Amino acid sequence: MKEDVLVIVDNFDIAPSDEEFLDEMLESYRCKILFTTRSDFDKDFYTSYTLREMPQTVLFNLVSKIYSKAENYKDTVMQIIDEVNNHTLCVELAARLMGKARRSLTPDELLSYLRSDYGVMKSQRLVNLKKDGKTESKTYYSHIHKLISLAELSEKDKYIMQNMALVPYEGINFNSFSNWLTSAEIDDRKQFNILIASKSVIKTMKSQLMILGLIKL
């Protein structure tokens, strides 16, 4: 690749030492490479810029846009935001569980589940973070797994999600996808609208259907 090309590697949430092809990639590619990561990269070897988490007040406003009763349960909602480590996607998934999911939970119920062992992955993927000069381990993927588990997806929902994991990142239109899943008898948009409302499936501005890379993992 030429020097005027920019390659973006999103969600590179592993330690550089754990990726055997990283050094080879950096040495052999002449283009510019930008990594987004929550891992702690050695600043002596990599040029880095730290993006801070969204303020909790902003995240609370995000919840309020989805869950209309957020102000009535502000203290509990703020605890939920803190429980998922201010992770924006987790906050949005939590808000939709309280407001737009097939199974709506009260803030107290959701907070209780988040603090329990419900839906915990057997092998949690830890992300090493550098914050205030200290390295911490956060289980973002565990939070996402638990929040999706709480949505109690039907077998048909899971079938759709499993196949959506094979869809390119630019998405796929409804007709093409439903024709592909003839064995699931997906003949209307109702099933997708439920998944879109819960954020399990994303509908892009071009009306393409996709799921987020973090959920694919």
Side-chain angles (χ1 to χ4, degrees):
M1 295 185 185
K2 298 182 180 180
E3 294 180 357
D4 60 350
V5 173
L6 172 64
V7 175
I8 300 177
V9 182
D10 197 18
N11 293 312
F12 189 77
D13 293 335
I14 61 173
S17 58
D18 294 338
E19 179 48 74
E20 56 182 310
F21 298 111
L22 179 60
D23 289 337
E24 179 182 342
M25 178 182 180
L26 294 175
E27 291 174 2
S28 59
Y29 283 36
R30 292 185 299 161
C31 63
K32 298 178 177 62
I33 306 176
L34 173 67
F35 294 88
T36 68
T37 180
R38 295 181 180 86
S39 297
D40 180 23
F41 275 53
D42 191 333
K43 294 180 176 58
D44 292 334
F45 294 94
Y46 306 99
T47 301
S48 63
Y49 179 78
T50 301
L51 296 175
R52 300 297 179 187
E53 299 166 337
M54 283 188 182
Q56 287 196 342
T57 52
V58 175
L59 292 173
F60 179 79
N61 289 336
L62 171 62
V63 175
S64 300
K65 296 288 186 182
I66 301 168
Y67 178 52
S68 60
K69 298 180 181 178
E71 190 66 40
N72 298 338
Y73 302 93
K74 187 169 184 177
D75 288 345
T76 306
V77 171
M78 294 301 286
Q79 290 179 64
I80 290 171
I81 293 171
D82 188 64
E83 191 67 28
V84 298
N85 307 116
N86 303 327
H87 188 270
T88 310
L89 175 59
C90 290
V91 170
E92 184 171 353
L93 290 172
R96 290 180 182 276
L97 276 172
M98 294 183 288
K100 296 188 176 182
R102 178 186 285 111
R103 175 197 184 188
S104 293
L105 299 173
T106 67
D108 288 327
E109 288 174 335
L110 179 55
L111 182 60
S112 178
Y113 275 119
L114 288 171
R115 290 175 173 173
S116 72
D117 293 332
Y118 179 91
V120 173
M121 296 190 299
K122 293 180 180 179
S123 177
Q124 295 185 355
R125 181 173 179 179
L126 298 180
V127 179
N128 292 322
L129 294 173
K130 196 77 170 183
K131 185 175 180 180
D132 299 328
K134 299 179 180 179
T135 300
E136 302 177 352
S137 293
K138 303 294 185 184
T139 54
Y140 291 107
Y141 295 96
S142 179
H143 290 320
I144 293 170
H145 184 273
K146 182 178 288 190
L147 289 164
I148 291 177
S149 296
L150 284 168
E152 294 188 344
L153 300 176
S154 68
E155 289 304 312
K156 186 173 285 189
D157 293 334
K158 292 175 184 178
Y159 183 80
I160 291 173
M161 296 287 288
Q162 289 165 356
N163 284 275
M164 284 296 295
L166 304 175
V167 169
Y169 280 99
E170 60 268 22
I172 188 172
N173 67 59
F174 172 81
N175 290 333
S176 296
F177 190 69
S178 60
N179 289 336
W180 180 25
L181 299 186
T182 52
S183 61
E185 299 180 351
I186 308 295
D187 55 5
D188 60 51
R189 298 176 184 264
K190 183 178 180 180
Q191 199 78 26
F192 285 92
N193 289 337
I194 294 172
L195 292 171
I196 290 169
S198 65
K199 202 65 174 182
S200 300
V201 171
I202 307 298
K203 185 177 181 181
T204 69
M205 295 181 66
K206 295 182 178 180
S207 296
Q208 298 287 88
L209 301 172
M210 60 177 289
I211 59 175
L212 297 176
L214 280 171
I215 294 179
K216 284 188 179 186
L217 295 173

